[in-house]
Amino acid sequence: MTNHWIDIANSDCIFIIGSNAAENHPISFKWALRAKDKGATIIHVDPRYTRTSQHADVFARLRSGSDIPFFGGLIRYILANNLYFKDYVVNYTNASFIVSDKYDFKDGLFSGYDAEKRAYDKSSWSFARDDAGQIKKDPTLRDPRCVFQILKAHYDRYDMKSVSSVTGTPTADLQKVYQTYAATGKPEKSGTMLYAMGQTQHTVGVQNIRAMSIIQLLLGNMGVAGGGINALRGEANVQGSTDQGLLFHILPGYIPTPNAAMPTLAEYNAKNTPATKEPQSANWWGNRPKYMTSFLKSMYPNQEADVSYDYLPKLEPGKDYSWLSLFDVMLGGAFKGFFAWGQNPAASTANANKTREAMTKLDWMVTVNMFETETGSFWKGPGMDPKKVKTEVFFLPCAVSFEKEGSISNSGRWMQWRYPAQAPRGDSKPDGDIIYELFEKIRGLYAKEGGAYPDPIKNLNWDVATNHAFDPHKVAKLINGYFLKEKTLKVGDADKTFKPGDPVPSFALLQTDGSTCSGNWIYSGSYTDKNNAARRDKTQTPMQAKIGLYPGWTWAWPVNRRVLYNRASVDPQGKPYQPEKAVIAWQDGKWVGDVPDGPWPPMADQKGGKSPFIMTTEGMGLIFGPGRNDGPLPEHYEPLECPVGDNPFSKQLHNPTALKFAGPTEVHASCDPRFPFVCSTYRVTEHWQTGVMTRNSPWLLEAEPQMFCEMSPELAKMRGIQNGEKVILESTRGSLWAKAIVTERIQPFTVLGQTIHQVGIPWHYGWTWPKQGGDSANILCPSVGDPNTGIPETKAFMVNVRKA
Amino acid sequence: MTGKSFFVDLSRCTGCRGCQIACKQWKNKPVEPTENTGSHQNPPDLSWQTLKVVRFAEKTIDGKFQWLFFPDQCRHCLDAPCKMVGDSEVPDAIVQDPETGAVVFTEKCKGLTAGGVREACPYDIPRVDPATKLMYKCDLCNDRIHAGLLPSCVQTCPTGTMNFGDRDEMLALAKDRLAKLKPKFPKAELVDADSVRVIFLTPFPPSAYYKYVQFGDASPRPLSRKAFLAKVMRPLRAFG
């Protein structure tokens, strides 16, 4: 979230798309309904009518996989009717930038496409520069090569009729949504966009989010109270784990993982430190070397950063290490061992039969969990002959979240400290202790036996325990960072001398000279003289009270800022666009309210002022976004399995850069009469993820006991299915049974003149428990993914449904 | 002393069933063997093991589709027909806490004709454990109330649907909320507010949610003579 949960209550219009917030994020509706009490409008756009739709003032259906046409139509509507926030667009976005002559877009392909590599050379997606290296701009937005005009031309094809024909949304409903949401383009109005996996789990997932970002920038909804792009995260600490470098392409704090083409720290820094000639850009990532060095010093305090950089594993350039690729490689027999730590990939991973088969190629697997899972028991699962599976499986029992101390970071980036409510049961241990003991053993073996390249193991900072028990406070202090050498630095207007061991008060003081360490620069400031994540102080100023901002309640990254990009909520003089719900304001030569996005004076100050989007190189919100793998502007492509043979917007039916694999597990069925129905997976309130915890919680299982398939009365009639009957769903990848829920909440769509049926299934079940519960929805889902993130396309694929 | 009341604002209910689960948890109720019968409503009904159940209904009202959620529970009538019927068989098998107003089934309920007690209830709430003959329903979390806590279902509700407090405060809150909703939901009402302690605000007609939402809505309901008498006596004894 750029904003946070409470802030939803500040919104004038809450646009929920690709999310069933009321069911899957019940707390979100505490705040959404408070906004409604104050007169806000709730819009819900979804393939089916859910508990969220019931509370929406405006509900519109769209076919799964047609979000970009829906958004493209909205962008066109905003531009055609001059409903954008002009000052904001000119001053705070790259709308005025002149795009390079080499950039082009034709028939669904952007310039630079290499059909053989199925990838783009992105060099033409850039901006024209003058002799001084500054980007050429046209603040009147009239130049035909400026971003604004290119945007307008790009989405001119997304007229209401074409959009309706692809999405299946009636034009009257489109009109209603567009009109309602575009009204937030008024400077005094704010609109928030809430989304979840319904937006991301597509082969155009990242571009779905880009489309929302463009809309929010056009309407001036970024940085304001009740605005923002708000990902409702699907797991209590998924924000925290992403922040801490869970994914393959980033180290903690969103620092890119080094690859083999960057053999030294100097080369890494040269390639990963953006530079700009824009005088008012803070270009915050220009500080990246400080964060990288401080990270390296947190891992190897006694080594020079150059040496510890060598220690870090390097990716092969151009190679994908994302989730689907891991299992594809595992199926090829490339892995000997596998740790499934707090995860259940045999149920959670798209194309689950492929995933389960891949596990048979392992020599060993360690599963760390609280319960038996489909992963730990894959060898005795459906279709497996235990005698023929060579994989040796070890099961380590771990403690539950409320049996251990530590922090979780919620969707709103609040780092919240938790205490154990009780001791772990039996021999189960907190994950931290399991990792601690495991590494102690590994290091012991290296000390005893030597081994290849022992230095990275031998020299690792492993001061994470007290009396041989994992110590979350020590780790939290290391993540915050501390001084390793005595250092005198300017803090405010005065010099301050820090001694070795002193906590780093903020990432602004991190250094490249090795005098500081910080495990994760964005968490610098979280654990200083005290554990700020443990704060429960409700003190606020009257200004903060107006927007439900509690600066003393836990701690938010970065630097306790609660609303990101908040410098865009004020005009260039620092005056709030929405004085009644101001986030920050420039008063008497200083900022008041939230922690501003940087201490500099407002933008109108030509000398000291900075542009608001400090994390982008040019300081502007990216309407034209040159960094993604599949284009600088979102473009509609059908899901890799789709019910239509044509794309009315271009000749490209599918995303030409989508992540896909080869082999018999990878057969895709588009317009295949054997698999005529669009299927989407989703969640229910009562279950969580693959259901490992909730299927083992009897009261929750009682409320949602079995795998089900929601379908329209029309489809049920066509297939002779009665409500509550068992049905079989099948895709090219497998089949499973479900109980039919026949409901008017699901309706057929009219898409390009044909009737298209859609069904929906939850993904919380698995064969281990309960015995009559059903199996994982992911048996049906394709292993294809977004070209930027590799996230699988589990929200739109093709199935058949028949009576069991 | 006007005791306590719930105000259940159905305009805010998202059907998350936190209340249903919290009830089972506080009461440490056993699990019923359920299966999906083509509905999200599960367990399918109240039982001696399930004192609160969220009922789901799909209705088209004035041409518009509605998915309605109704967290069903004992209404804790000010003058409880179940108690009147019960007292005629075993005095004080069903008691009313003079302080909170909670209507509570005691162990003495074993001696009651369970069918008669259930029939006496205008909202079809009481249930019996066939093995022990003990009767069950929501007891207002009377133990929690006396310990200064909120009822378990209220404590867990994330949206402000479930509210609990002194009766006059709850009535004021209910009336205020009703006035705010009226322009948008002209048929909204406070169901049987004068005679029960669990006051539902229904944006749509009560019968759209479930047949036993409003007193008398489900008639003709087979009423025993005693229950009938209890019913006719009720308005005389009702107080605000």
Side-chain angles (χ1 to χ4, degrees):
Chain A
M1 283 177 138
T2 55
N3 296 43
H4 58 97
W5 294 106
I6 296 176
D7 183 68
I8 296 171
N10 295 320
S11 194
D12 295 297
C13 187
I14 301 166
F15 190 167
I16 306 169
I17 180 163
S19 157
N20 181 4
E23 287 184 49
N24 297 333
H25 299 90
I27 289 294
S28 70
F29 258 63
K30 174 178 189 161
W31 307 109
L33 292 172
R34 287 197 191 178
K36 214 174 158 177
D37 290 344
K38 292 186 275 182
T41 308
I42 298 179
I43 299 173
H44 188 222
V45 177
D46 204 87
R48 64 184 177 128
Y49 190 102
T50 67
R51 296 180 228 184
T52 302
S53 324
Q54 181 60 26
H55 287 279
D57 302 279
V58 179
F59 169 65
R61 291 173 204 278
L62 93 172
R63 170 178 60 102
S64 272
S66 64
D67 304 76
I68 287 174
F70 198 98
F71 292 135
L74 176 52
I75 293 170
R76 186 180 187 273
Y77 181 89
I78 293 167
L79 297 178
N81 296 291
N82 285 320
L83 296 168
Y84 56 98
F85 182 175
K86 183 146 192 232
D87 288 350
Y88 188 104
V89 168
V90 171
N91 293 326
Y92 298 157
T93 78
N94 66 11
S96 67
F97 289 18
I98 307 295
V99 175
S100 152
D101 287 343
K102 297 191 189 84
Y103 167 77
D104 195 12
F105 174 78
K106 223 183 273 170
D107 275 341
L109 288 175
F110 296 90
S111 44
Y113 186 64
D114 181 332
E116 204 171 305
K117 289 185 186 157
R118 299 185 63 252
Y120 283 103
D121 168 1
K122 297 186 258 184
S123 57
S124 64
W125 311 347
S126 56
F127 303 112
R129 289 172 193 274
D130 63 17
D131 295 341
Q134 281 188 28
I135 291 169
K136 291 186 186 170
K137 303 177 190 77
D138 175 20
T140 70
L141 308 181
R142 287 197 197 110
D143 189 305
R145 293 299 291 176
C146 79
V147 165
F148 186 82
Q149 293 298 335
I150 284 176
L151 181 80
K152 207 167 181 174
H154 190 88
Y155 291 105
D156 193 47
R157 297 166 296 144
Y158 290 73
D159 60 273
M160 207 78 93
K161 200 168 151 238
S162 305
V163 169
S164 173
S165 76
V166 171
T167 56
T169 314
T171 48
D173 291 355
L174 285 175
Q175 176 81 30
K176 183 92 186 131
V177 173
Y178 291 176
Q179 191 183 346
T180 307
Y181 199 66
T184 66
K186 295 196 184 85
E188 69 278 13
K189 295 285 179 194
S190 59
T192 178
M193 292 185 115
L194 310 186
Y195 73 95
M197 299 299 187
Q199 284 299 293
T200 56
Q201 289 179 342
H202 294 278
T203 45
V204 293
V206 167
Q207 296 292 354
N208 282 341
I209 315 308
R210 280 274 303 131
M212 296 196 293
S213 309
I214 291 170
I215 291 161
Q216 291 296 67
L217 289 171
L218 289 174
L219 297 173
N221 280 335
M222 297 302 293
V224 299
I229 290 283
N230 293 305
L232 311 182
R233 311 294 314 250
E235 198 254 298
N237 197 25
V238 70
Q239 183 64 53
S241 55
T242 317
D243 297 340
Q244 304 298 349
L246 175 81
L247 302 172
F248 78 93
H249 69 298
I250 41 173
L251 298 173
Y254 304 94
I255 300 173
T257 311
N259 71 40
M262 310 165 190
T264 66
L265 181 59
E267 281 164 277
Y268 174 89
N269 282 336
K271 284 187 179 157
N272 289 288
T273 311
T276 181
K277 295 272 166 57
E278 301 303 308
Q280 288 203 295
S281 173
N283 182 28
W284 198 263
W285 277 123
N287 294 305
R288 194 172 262 150
K290 297 175 191 168
Y291 310 147
M292 182 63 168
T293 297
S294 296
F295 168 71
L296 290 166
K297 293 302 281 185
S298 77
M299 289 188 74
Y300 299 102
N302 301 320
Q303 267 64 37
E304 289 303 320
D306 291 338
V307 174
S308 45
Y309 177 82
D310 288 346
Y311 292 171
L312 292 188
K314 312 285 186 301
L315 305 175
E316 283 301 320
K319 194 167 165 183
D320 182 72
Y321 296 80
S322 68
W323 193 248
L324 292 177
S325 292
L326 289 185
F327 287 94
D328 196 65
V329 168
M330 189 188 288
L331 184 67
F335 293 136
K336 277 189 177 163
F338 172 52
F339 265 84
W341 204 308
Q343 292 186 326
N344 185 14
S348 70
T349 304
N351 209 344
N353 283 339
K354 172 186 177 182
T355 309
R356 294 170 185 184
E357 182 63 26
M359 290 171 183
T360 67
K361 312 290 184 192
L362 297 164
D363 289 348
W364 55 263
M365 175 201 287
V366 179
T367 174
V368 186
N369 217 304
M370 288 172 279
F371 298 101
E372 184 187 15
T373 67
E374 287 70 30
T375 300
S377 299
F378 81 93
W379 51 275
K380 55 178 177 178
M384 292 281 173
D385 179 355
K387 289 193 198 105
K388 289 187 183 149
V389 179
K390 63 166 178 166
T391 316
E392 189 177 5
V393 180
F394 303 88
F395 178 34
L396 302 181
C398 61
V400 188
S401 56
F402 46 81
E403 292 171 337
K404 57 194 180 185
E405 186 173 8
S407 78
I408 73 122
S409 296
N410 74 4
S411 298
R413 299 167 286 101
W414 296 8
M415 178 191 183
Q416 307 177 102
W417 200 262
R418 292 178 172 185
Y419 304 92
Q422 62 181 45
R425 297 178 71 179
D427 290 332
S428 62
K429 288 185 176 181
D431 300 284
D433 288 277
I434 298 175
I435 297 170
Y436 172 72
E437 289 179 25
L438 179 67
F439 191 73
E440 287 285 290
K441 270 273 192 283
I442 291 170
R443 179 135 74 179
L445 283 171
Y446 270 91
K448 211 167 105 191
E449 298 175 8
Y453 201 25
D455 289 358
I457 305 288
K458 273 167 45 192
N459 294 330
L460 183 71
N461 174 17
W462 200 236
D463 186 16
V464 297
T466 301
N467 297 327
H468 298 285
F470 176 76
D471 184 341
H473 292 275
K474 271 191 175 171
V475 176
K477 286 175 186 171
L478 183 64
I479 287 171
N480 178 83
Y482 41 81
F483 284 84
L484 296 167
K485 295 177 191 158
E486 188 169 301
K487 186 93 182 167
T488 302
L489 296 166
K490 218 171 181 76
V491 179
D493 294 329
D495 280 346
K496 191 175 173 193
T497 299
F498 294 92
K499 296 207 158 48
D502 283 354
V504 175
S506 136
F507 55 66
L509 299 184
L510 293 175
Q511 304 293 317
T512 50
D513 63 4
S515 57
T516 56
C517 75
S518 169
N520 187 341
W521 71 278
I522 60 175
Y523 280 82
S524 232
S526 62
Y527 205 127
T528 51
D529 53 331
K530 63 176 190 288
N531 180 359
N532 291 315
R535 295 181 304 167
R536 297 291 186 271
D537 178 358
K538 291 195 212 171
T539 312
Q540 52 185 180
T541 65
M543 180 182 172
Q544 291 163 341
K546 279 188 179 173
I547 58 165
L549 194 142
Y550 294 92
W553 186 270
T554 71
W555 184 87
W557 72 259
V559 289
N560 206 27
R561 181 176 303 132
R562 305 291 165 138
V563 177
L564 297 182
Y565 307 118
N566 53 28
R567 291 169 66 96
S569 70
V570 296
D571 68 14
Q573 283 72 40
K575 201 167 135 264
Y577 284 120
Q578 305 176 349
E580 283 312 301
K581 47 180 174 181
V583 181
I584 58 168
W586 182 253
Q587 281 174 11
D588 309 322
K590 64 177 175 54
W591 291 106
V592 292
D594 193 8
V595 177
D597 246 331
W600 317 283
M603 221 178 134
D605 182 332
Q606 293 289 325
K607 242 167 104 187
K610 296 287 180 203
S611 308
F613 289 90
I614 64 168
M615 302 312 287
T616 67
T617 308
E618 286 84 23
M620 297 294 184
L622 302 181
I623 287 178
F624 188 86
R628 305 281 70 83
N629 289 336
D630 44 356
L633 292 171
E635 172 65 9
H636 174 58
Y637 305 111
E638 285 291 330
L640 255 56
E641 287 193 348
C642 66
V644 294
D646 293 310
N647 175 359
F649 299 109
S650 80
K651 286 181 191 152
Q652 290 294 323
L653 187 60
H654 304 300
N655 187 338
T657 58
L659 174 68
K660 53 185 188 178
F661 305 94
T665 56
E666 313 297 326
V667 180
H668 304 137
S670 282
C671 296
D672 183 334
R674 291 174 303 159
F675 305 102
F677 310 131
V678 180
C679 185
S680 199
T681 63
Y682 43 74
R683 308 176 186 216
V684 298
T685 312
E686 293 77 7
H687 287 294
W688 190 68
Q689 312 286 59
T690 66
V692 172
M693 287 170 79
T694 51
R695 281 186 271 138
N696 283 292
S697 297
W699 295 310
L700 295 173
L701 187 64
E702 178 191 51
E704 283 289 2
Q706 285 179 310
M707 182 69 182
F708 61 81
C709 173
E710 292 186 314
M711 65 182 74
S712 69
E714 290 85 347
L715 186 142
K717 197 176 164 203
M718 191 164 80
R719 286 289 198 248
I721 295 163
Q722 303 292 317
N723 188 38
E725 271 186 341
K726 235 182 197 182
V727 295
I728 303 289
L729 286 105
E730 47 206 1
S731 75
T732 72
R733 294 157 292 275
S735 70
L736 49 80
W737 68 260
K739 290 295 201 69
I741 294 184
V742 180
T743 169
E744 285 181 50
R745 293 182 291 101
I746 313 274
Q747 299 279 331
F749 295 95
T750 304
V751 176
L752 298 174
Q754 315 170 52
T755 300
I756 301 290
H757 289 278
Q758 174 153 0
V759 297
I761 52 177
W763 65 285
H764 304 295
Y765 296 94
W767 62 268
T768 60
W769 182 258
K771 292 301 173 200
Q772 291 307 314
D775 209 341
S776 170
N778 277 309
I779 287 172
L780 303 175
C781 302
S783 35
V784 297
D786 178 276
N788 300 285
T789 60
I791 197 167
E793 190 158 60
T794 54
K795 289 296 177 271
F797 54 93
M798 302 304 292
V799 299
N800 185 36
V801 182
R802 60 181 169 83
K803 226 172 144 110
Chain B
M1 180 67 219
T2 57
K4 300 287 181 184
S5 278
F6 285 79
F7 167 50
V8 188
D9 180 356
L10 294 186
S11 74
R12 304 186 90 81
C13 181
T14 57
C16 78
R17 298 196 275 194
C19 56
Q20 178 182 318
I21 308 294
C23 176
K24 287 219 129 172
Q25 191 173 16
W26 180 252
K27 295 295 178 193
N28 201 18
K29 282 289 183 184
V31 164
E32 303 188 32
T34 56
E35 59 178 76
N36 190 310
T37 57
S39 165
H40 291 287
Q41 186 176 315
N42 242 330
D45 195 7
L46 296 170
S47 76
W48 71 270
Q49 303 165 93
T50 302
L51 311 184
K52 176 152 189 156
V53 73
V54 178
R55 301 185 186 275
F56 292 76
E58 296 181 8
K59 290 278 161 68
T60 297
I61 300 168
D62 297 332
K64 199 167 172 249
F65 180 83
Q66 304 290 345
W67 196 10
L68 304 176
F69 319 117
F70 181 67
D72 196 6
Q73 66 167 93
C74 171
R75 311 297 199 278
H76 297 278
C77 300
L78 300 181
D79 288 282
C82 64
K83 178 168 167 56
M84 294 175 207
V85 169
D87 282 348
S88 71
E89 289 189 326
V90 182
D92 287 337
I94 298 171
V95 297
Q96 196 161 19
D97 184 330
E99 202 178 318
T100 62
V103 177
V104 181
F105 287 1
T106 70
E107 290 213 0
K108 287 187 200 164
C109 283
K110 272 181 187 175
L112 297 179
T113 315
V117 175
R118 180 167 169 180
E119 277 170 21
C121 173
Y123 308 104
D124 193 37
I125 298 296
R127 296 292 189 273
V128 66
D129 176 359
T132 64
K133 307 289 180 212
L134 278 168
M135 294 197 70
Y136 291 89
K137 68 166 190 66
C138 159
D139 69 355
L140 205 107
C141 276
N142 216 29
D143 50 350
R144 291 176 60 97
I145 308 312
H146 283 286
L149 300 171
L150 286 169
S152 187
C153 56
V154 177
Q155 176 80 42
T156 206
C157 177
T159 61
T161 304
M162 302 294 305
N163 302 275
F164 184 84
D166 289 339
R167 181 165 173 79
D168 45 359
E169 277 174 38
M170 287 299 110
L171 277 169
L173 186 64
K175 283 172 187 159
D176 179 54
R177 185 70 188 152
L178 178 69
K180 283 194 175 122
L181 283 175
K182 271 284 185 189
K184 205 168 169 196
F185 300 97
K187 289 178 185 163
E189 61 178 286
L190 300 173
V191 181
D192 300 341
D194 293 341
S195 54
V196 295
R197 288 188 185 277
V198 180
I199 303 155
F200 284 94
L201 190 167
T202 52
F204 300 102
S207 60
Y209 292 80
Y210 173 57
K211 59 182 172 178
Y212 300 121
V213 172
Q214 193 165 34
F215 185 95
D217 248 10
S219 60
R221 173 166 157 74
L223 286 178
S224 68
R225 196 183 69 85
K226 282 174 186 159
F228 174 75
L229 282 175
K231 187 175 160 180
V232 291
M233 288 295 286
R234 189 190 57 88
L236 300 174
R237 300 164 55 131
F239 59 95

